[in-house]
mmCIF file of all heavy atoms in Angstrom:
data_model
loop_
_atom_site.group_PDB
_atom_site.id
_atom_site.type_symbol
_atom_site.label_atom_id
_atom_site.label_comp_id
_atom_site.label_asym_id
_atom_site.label_seq_id
_atom_site.Cartn_x
_atom_site.Cartn_y
_atom_site.Cartn_z
ATOM 1 N N CYS B 23 142.914 -19.172 64.392
ATOM 2 C CA CYS B 23 143.870 -18.409 65.197
ATOM 3 C C CYS B 23 144.818 -19.396 65.861
ATOM 4 O O CYS B 23 144.361 -20.346 66.511
ATOM 5 C CB CYS B 23 143.122 -17.594 66.254
ATOM 6 S SG CYS B 23 144.166 -16.738 67.450
ATOM 7 N N TYR B 25 148.425 -19.780 68.353
ATOM 8 C CA TYR B 25 149.188 -19.010 69.329
ATOM 9 C C TYR B 25 150.261 -19.904 69.938
ATOM 10 O O TYR B 25 150.295 -21.106 69.679
ATOM 11 C CB TYR B 25 148.271 -18.436 70.408
ATOM 12 C CG TYR B 25 147.444 -19.470 71.134
ATOM 13 C CD1 TYR B 25 147.892 -20.055 72.309
ATOM 14 C CD2 TYR B 25 146.208 -19.879 70.629
ATOM 15 C CE1 TYR B 25 147.143 -21.007 72.969
ATOM 16 C CE2 TYR B 25 145.457 -20.839 71.280
ATOM 17 C CZ TYR B 25 145.918 -21.398 72.455
ATOM 18 O OH TYR B 25 145.168 -22.350 73.101
ATOM 19 N N GLY B 40 137.685 -0.094 60.424
ATOM 20 C CA GLY B 40 138.712 0.538 61.240
ATOM 21 C C GLY B 40 138.200 1.331 62.420
ATOM 22 O O GLY B 40 138.886 2.224 62.904
ATOM 23 N N GLY B 42 135.711 0.967 66.239
ATOM 24 C CA GLY B 42 135.853 0.237 67.492
ATOM 25 C C GLY B 42 135.651 -1.255 67.350
ATOM 26 O O GLY B 42 135.054 -1.739 66.399
ATOM 27 N N THR B 77 128.077 -19.016 60.497
ATOM 28 C CA THR B 77 127.211 -19.757 59.594
ATOM 29 C C THR B 77 126.233 -18.818 58.887
ATOM 30 O O THR B 77 125.897 -17.751 59.396
ATOM 31 C CB THR B 77 126.414 -20.826 60.347
ATOM 32 O OG1 THR B 77 125.609 -20.182 61.353
ATOM 33 C CG2 THR B 77 127.338 -21.824 61.024
ATOM 34 N N LEU B 91 144.217 -13.001 72.926
ATOM 35 C CA LEU B 91 144.601 -13.960 73.943
ATOM 36 C C LEU B 91 144.734 -13.284 75.293
ATOM 37 O O LEU B 91 145.262 -12.172 75.390
ATOM 38 C CB LEU B 91 145.963 -14.579 73.606
ATOM 39 C CG LEU B 91 146.203 -15.029 72.186
ATOM 40 C CD1 LEU B 91 147.653 -15.480 72.038
ATOM 41 C CD2 LEU B 91 145.257 -16.142 71.813
ATOM 42 N N VAL B 94 148.359 -16.603 80.421
ATOM 43 C CA VAL B 94 148.428 -16.972 81.831
ATOM 44 C C VAL B 94 149.312 -16.003 82.612
ATOM 45 O O VAL B 94 148.986 -15.618 83.735
ATOM 46 C CB VAL B 94 148.953 -18.411 81.972
ATOM 47 C CG1 VAL B 94 149.333 -18.713 83.407
ATOM 48 C CG2 VAL B 94 147.919 -19.405 81.475
ATOM 49 N N LYS B 111 129.799 -11.127 49.966
ATOM 50 C CA LYS B 111 129.180 -10.518 48.785
ATOM 51 C C LYS B 111 127.701 -10.858 48.719
ATOM 52 O O LYS B 111 127.339 -12.024 48.866
ATOM 53 C CB LYS B 111 129.882 -11.011 47.527
ATOM 54 C CG LYS B 111 131.371 -10.700 47.484
ATOM 55 C CD LYS B 111 132.009 -11.324 46.252
ATOM 56 C CE LYS B 111 133.510 -11.111 46.251
ATOM 57 N NZ LYS B 111 134.142 -11.793 45.084
#
Side-chain angles (χ1 to χ4, degrees):
Chain B
C23 173
Y25 56 92
T77 60
L91 315 174
V94 167
K111 301 175 184 177

